Amino acid sequence: MRRRRRTIKCLFAALVFLLPAVFGGCSAARRTDPISDITDLDGRRVGVGIACDTDYALTGRKDLSLVRYDELANILLALQYDKVDAMALDELLWKFTAASHKGLRVVTPAFATSGYTVYFRSEVSELRDEFNDFLSRYRQSEAFRDFEDRLNAFDGEHYNGPDIELTGTGRILRVAVDAAGFPRSFAEADGHTPSGYDLEALKLFANEKNYRLEFIISGYDDMIYGLQGGNYDIAAGFLSDLRDADSLSSYLCKSDSLYEVPLYFIEKTQDNIELIED
């Protein structure tokens, strides 16, 4: 997955040259005192991905100011130029970022946790119930303990999951997948079946129930609208249970959590965030 690491590195490197022109060469005063209390950030500006789990988790907190961005590279650049004092990432995104950048540190302990789920269109809620029954058994199994070990061992670069062969021959389920959600869900250019941590349980469930999965490469908005419109039966990839209000208001069903990950604040440890060369 080194290509994915290069993508964010190239975007970050390009923006390093563009951002000073956008900001007029100015930067805000940097908070040099490290975060000492995750429950009181003393007015710090925190960069988050818009409508991401960290955005939902931190919205409403009075001890900080949220600054929302649509790309991880933009959050990094804002931190680089002191437009924010810290950023908030889940553990997998932090590992992904730490593998390609230095000059950053994670603040422990986590300030919250997020559970990742699968969405179903409301007309197939019986599938959600079947899937939840499968999850209750799967999460007690040796296979899930292996999954957790692999999840915790993620090195920020390489998805270390199995190549699960789909064996179902029965009912076809149309699954919209966020293909840009590495390592949770992603698709390679060679057109092979999408992979990622968020898809493993779904593939095992389909095999157990003899369902056939038809994957459609998608993004968040298309997944939601497609479920509402009946184009898809299931959506998977980067769907946090912190978005419950969104899923319920959209007349969708969500599964129980596939797994949980901690959410962390990230700070600069030096004046500049530097790219790690391959």
Side-chain angles (χ1 to χ4, degrees), residues 175-222:
V175 184
V177 174
D178 184 343
F182 179 82
R184 292 192 173 83
S185 60
F186 59 95
E188 297 293 352
D190 58 15
H192 288 176
T193 301
S195 300
Y197 297 117
D198 288 13
L199 303 182
E200 290 187 30
L202 186 61
K203 291 178 180 179
L204 294 173
F205 163 74
N207 287 347
E208 179 181 289
K209 298 296 184 180
N210 198 37
Y211 292 135
R212 287 182 286 170
L213 299 183
E214 178 184 308
F215 289 104
I216 301 96
I217 302 307
S218 183
Y220 179 74
D221 288 339
D222 178 69

Side-chain angles (χ1 to χ4, degrees), residues 35 74 93 97 156 169 197 203 227 231 246 257 271-272 276:
I35 295 172
N74 293 337
L93 272 180
T97 304
T169 60
Y197 297 117
K203 291 178 180 179
L227 285 175
N231 297 324
D246 277 2
S257 293
D271 287 338
N272 292 310
I276 299 173

Side-chain angles (χ1 to χ4, degrees), residues 8 122 124 130 144 169 188-189 215 231 233 238 247 266 272:
I8 191 171
S122 57
V124 294
E130 281 187 4
F144 184 74
T169 60
E188 297 293 352
F215 289 104
N231 297 324
D233 300 303
F238 239 114
S247 62
I266 312 297
N272 292 310

Side-chain angles (χ1 to χ4, degrees), residues 34-147:
I35 295 172
S36 59
D37 183 352
I38 61 168
T39 66
D40 183 4
L41 263 63
D42 191 25
R44 282 177 174 81
R45 300 154 300 172
V46 178
V48 296
I50 187 168
C52 289
D53 47 2
T54 50
D55 186 0
Y56 283 90
L58 293 172
T59 292
R61 278 187 49 164
K62 305 300 183 184
D63 62 312
L64 54 83
S65 296
L66 280 184
V67 187
R68 297 175 173 90
Y69 298 90
D70 58 0
E71 296 284 349
L72 175 56
N74 293 337
I75 307 175
L76 281 166
L77 265 293
L79 188 59
Q80 167 83 306
Y81 285 93
D82 301 323
K83 296 301 177 181
V84 295
D85 303 301
M87 62 181 179
L89 299 176
D90 71 65
E91 185 177 54
L92 292 183
L93 272 180
W94 159 240
K95 289 181 176 180
F96 178 67
T97 304
S100 54
H101 299 80
K102 58 184 178 180
L104 298 168
R105 80 173 188 97
V106 62
V107 179
T108 56
F111 66 83
T113 59
S114 177
Y116 287 87
T117 69
V118 171
Y119 286 0
F120 296 79
R121 64 184 176 96
S122 57
E123 291 82 359
V124 294
S125 59
E126 77 283 355
L127 282 175
R128 186 273 313 272
D129 296 338
E130 281 187 4
F131 184 64
N132 282 345
D133 176 68
F134 167 82
L135 278 181
S136 67
R137 292 180 281 109
Y138 173 61
R139 288 183 60 118
Q140 301 301 315
S141 69
E142 189 66 35
F144 184 74
R145 285 187 283 276
D146 171 72
F147 171 86

